[in-house]
């Protein structure tokens, strides 16, 4: 079976901490397991992600089209790393820029990473995979600084469901997982075996959810659209 893109949200997830400082609940064995306490803003914040996105509870609006620059370019030198929490991709051959919609500036892709079992739910349903395409507002020089400002980061989150139709971009990533899955390979980047175009990870964006949220890993900074 294969995973195909089901829905698009604009949300959040970036890690600025070491792998041994925090952890996730074991959703594989118990999807009702309570989430651990990470401390600080993660526990006390008022705009924390992830959330349950509900169609009936969403305020409907209309924006200009989102603009994706260079997302269709095949990236031939992508690096993949197992950072202890996720698989992360970086090293883009071309600068990928997101603009339009309700965004007031241009946002540049910094990295892509994955969550097996989606962090967000839609109408109370959790999906097998969520891919996060992390963007930095180009008025800030790096992600650390961008995380200090409410307009600092945009993350496109794509939720996937199982299908008999393969997603070629996901297939390229899966093909290289064997090189990074062991404990000894953690934090050691490898080249992704096949090139892929980032827009192959993204479904139609005519309709999507968007909200003001946070990073979904410590420090849980409330700096994310």
């Amino acid at each position: 079976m294969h995973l195909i893109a089901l829905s698009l949200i604009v949300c959040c997830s970036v890690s600025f901490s070491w792998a041994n400082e925090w952890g996730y609940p074991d959703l594989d064995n118990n999807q009702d397991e309570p989430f651990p306490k990470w401390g600080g803003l993660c526990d006390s914040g008022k705009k924390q992600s992830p959330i349950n996105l509900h169609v009936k509870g969403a305020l409907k609006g209309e924006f200009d089209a989102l603009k994706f620059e260079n997302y269709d370019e095949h990236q031939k030198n992508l690096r993949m790393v197992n950072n202890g929490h996720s698989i992360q991709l970086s090293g883009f051959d071309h600068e990928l820029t997101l603009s339009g919609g309700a965004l007031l500036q241009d946002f540049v892709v910094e990295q892509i990473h994955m969550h097996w079992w989606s962090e967000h739910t839609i109408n109370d349903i959790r999906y097998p995979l969520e891919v996060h395409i992390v963007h930095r507002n180009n008025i800030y020089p790096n992600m650390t600084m961008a995380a200090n400002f409410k307009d600092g980061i945009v993350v496109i989150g794509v939720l996937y469901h199982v299908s008999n139709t393969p997603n070629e971009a996901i297939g390229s990533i899966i093909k290289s997982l064997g090189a990074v899955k062991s404990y000894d390979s953690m934090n050691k980047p490898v080249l992704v075996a096949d090139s892929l175009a980032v827009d192959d990870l993204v479904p139609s964006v005519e309709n999507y959810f968007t909200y003001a949220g946070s990073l979904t890993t410590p420090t849980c900074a409330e700096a994310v659209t």
Side-chain angles (χ1 to χ4, degrees):
M1 303 294 279
H2 305 280
L3 291 163
I4 64 170
L6 166 74
S7 184
L8 181 85
I9 56 178
V10 184
C11 63
C12 51
S13 172
V14 184
S15 174
F16 292 115
S17 58
W18 295 102
N20 62 351
E21 293 181 353
W22 52 274
Y24 291 115
D26 183 7
L27 295 179
D28 281 328
N29 294 311
N30 181 10
Q31 290 204 8
D32 295 322
E33 181 178 338
F35 213 87
K37 297 292 185 181
W38 288 345
L41 196 62
C42 302
D43 297 337
S44 63
K46 303 301 182 185
K47 294 182 178 180
Q48 287 295 294
S49 302
I51 63 173
N52 177 47
L53 297 148
H54 206 289
V55 173
K56 290 184 178 179
L59 179 66
K60 293 178 176 61
E62 188 170 329
F63 300 106
D64 292 335
L66 289 169
K67 298 177 182 178
F68 298 86
E69 184 175 347
N70 289 333
Y71 282 67
D72 59 344
E73 297 284 347
H74 271 259
Q75 309 295 327
K76 298 179 181 179
N77 296 290
L78 280 178
R79 296 187 301 275
M80 173 188 291
V81 66
N82 172 3
N83 63 18
H85 296 290
S86 179
I87 298 299
Q88 182 171 301
L89 304 175
S90 60
F92 304 99
D93 294 324
H94 314 277
E95 185 172 273
L96 284 71
T97 304
L98 176 68
S99 60
L103 303 176
L104 301 180
Q105 281 92 27
D106 292 346
F107 289 78
V108 178
V109 174
E110 285 278 330
Q111 48 102 333
I112 298 170
H113 65 268
M114 295 156 202
H115 297 272
W116 283 267
W117 287 118
S118 65
E119 292 194 311
H120 289 79
T121 55
I122 298 178
N123 297 331
D124 301 306
I125 297 172
R126 193 175 304 281
Y127 291 86
L129 175 69
E130 182 168 348
V131 171
H132 285 171
I133 306 171
V134 181
H135 304 69
R136 166 184 51 84
N137 191 327
N138 68 0
I139 69 174
Y140 305 119
N142 54 57
M143 288 293 290
T144 302
M145 181 171 288
N148 292 313
F149 298 91
K150 65 181 181 179
D151 64 347
I153 299 169
V154 165
V155 177
I156 294 177
V158 185
L159 277 63
Y160 292 75
H161 68 85
V162 176
S163 168
N164 288 320
T165 303
N167 179 300
E168 291 185 3
I170 294 292
S172 296
I173 294 167
I174 290 173
K175 185 176 179 180
S176 299
L177 287 180
V180 298
K181 69 179 183 180
S182 72
Y183 180 83
D184 290 339
S185 65
M186 191 167 64
N187 295 320
K188 297 178 181 178
V190 301
L191 284 175
V192 175
D194 297 330
S195 66
L196 63 90
V198 174
D199 68 354
D200 288 336
L201 294 169
V202 183
S204 167
V205 292
E206 292 182 2
N207 297 288
Y208 56 90
F209 294 96
T210 183
Y211 74 99
S214 75
L215 304 180
T216 62
T217 57
T219 59
C220 303
E222 294 178 342
V224 184
T225 299

